[in-house]
Amino acid sequence: MFVLVNLKTYPCDPIEVAEAVRDVNESTDARVAVAPQAATIAQVAETGAETWAQHVDPIDYGSNTGHTLAESVADAGAVGTLINHSEQRLKLADIDGSVQAAQRADLETVVCANNPAQIGAAAALGPDAVAVEPPELIGTGTPVSQADPDVVEDAVEAAQNVDSDVSVLCGAGISTGDDVVAAGDLGAEGVLLASGVAKADDPTAALEDLVEPL
């Protein structure tokens, strides 16, 4: 299972979380990574934690003030990027452009989508993985695997029908090891989560709880 912790813009210590991610990753069969804010990618990567960007734009080098260039996050130490998170939505053409930009920079890609129909469309763009995240469940502590397990199973089917090489992750409300196990039972190969770790008093303990049942 792939466990990707998105720090969003939470007021947490990204280095503390990154060190927890690094240590827990070394002690489990799960793959654990962290996506900090762009400004701290380099510092986080220096901890040895697998580091991802939260977003890259569909641009190349040039006149793109205020945008995030895929090569820049790769040079800072990121090995992958989220694309089209529900808090940073893109048009389909821009998702395609961001996937291509990430691939140009040798970044692994996870494209987020709200529902199985969107998962199928996202999978057709050739990312490494897609992640189904019903936005109404984000940050609620109620996992999609519990609130609507059909969404996960249908998302897996939708992706497989388009491209069997595209992995499916699920997110929204993931906070415990049982949530991660349930996601796997429904066919997901990983999970996205944020507040369950980023807001935890002890990020290491929170991560250990997530991976302990695996």
Side-chain angles (χ1 to χ4, degrees), residues 6-10 54-55 82-90 112-114 133-140 172 193-195 199:
N6 178 11
L7 300 187
K8 302 190 177 184
T9 57
Y10 288 129
Q54 296 180 9
H55 168 79
L82 294 172
I83 295 171
N84 195 49
H85 190 276
S86 64
E87 295 158 0
Q88 179 68 293
R89 300 303 304 275
L90 301 173
C112 302
N114 290 352
E133 283 197 307
E136 66 274 12
L137 295 177
I138 292 176
T140 65
L193 71 153
S195 58
K199 289 185 173 182

Side-chain angles (χ1 to χ4, degrees), residues 108-211:
E108 194 172 342
T109 50
V110 172
V111 176
C112 302
N114 290 352
N115 55 53
Q118 291 181 15
I119 286 290
L125 302 177
D128 295 289
V130 290
V132 60
E133 283 197 307
E136 66 274 12
L137 295 177
I138 292 176
T140 65
T142 301
V144 62
S145 56
Q146 179 184 105
D148 194 350
D150 288 346
V151 167
V152 181
E153 292 181 320
D154 291 348
V156 171
E157 182 179 3
Q160 293 299 301
N161 286 342
V162 173
D163 186 342
S164 60
D165 291 330
V166 175
S167 301
V168 178
L169 285 62
C170 77
I174 303 292
S175 60
T176 70
D178 289 343
D179 297 339
V180 178
V181 170
D185 289 344
L186 293 169
E189 296 180 45
V191 295
L192 299 183
L193 71 153
S195 58
V197 173
K199 289 185 173 182
D201 292 332
D202 186 340
T204 299
L207 282 167
E208 288 174 341
D209 175 68
L210 281 165
V211 303

Side-chain angles (χ1 to χ4, degrees), residues 14-114:
I15 304 305
E16 180 185 12
V17 178
E19 289 173 344
V21 164
R22 177 200 62 206
D23 294 346
V24 172
N25 181 69
E26 292 174 352
S27 65
T28 178
D29 290 334
R31 174 187 174 193
V32 188
V34 61
Q37 296 178 48
T40 58
I41 286 174
Q43 294 169 278
V44 166
E46 286 175 359
T47 68
E50 180 177 330
T51 305
W52 282 54
Q54 296 180 9
H55 168 79
V56 297
D57 284 301
I59 59 168
D60 204 336
Y61 291 98
S63 303
N64 302 294
T65 301
H67 289 75
T68 301
L69 180 70
E71 284 82 358
S72 294
V73 300
D75 289 345
V79 299
T81 184
L82 294 172
I83 295 171
N84 195 49
H85 190 276
S86 64
E87 295 158 0
Q88 179 68 293
R89 300 303 304 275
L90 301 173
K91 296 179 180 178
L92 188 62
D94 289 335
I95 298 172
D96 189 19
S98 290
V99 169
Q100 292 183 38
Q103 291 172 341
R104 187 183 67 226
D106 293 324
L107 292 170
E108 194 172 342
T109 50
V110 172
V111 176
C112 302
N114 290 352

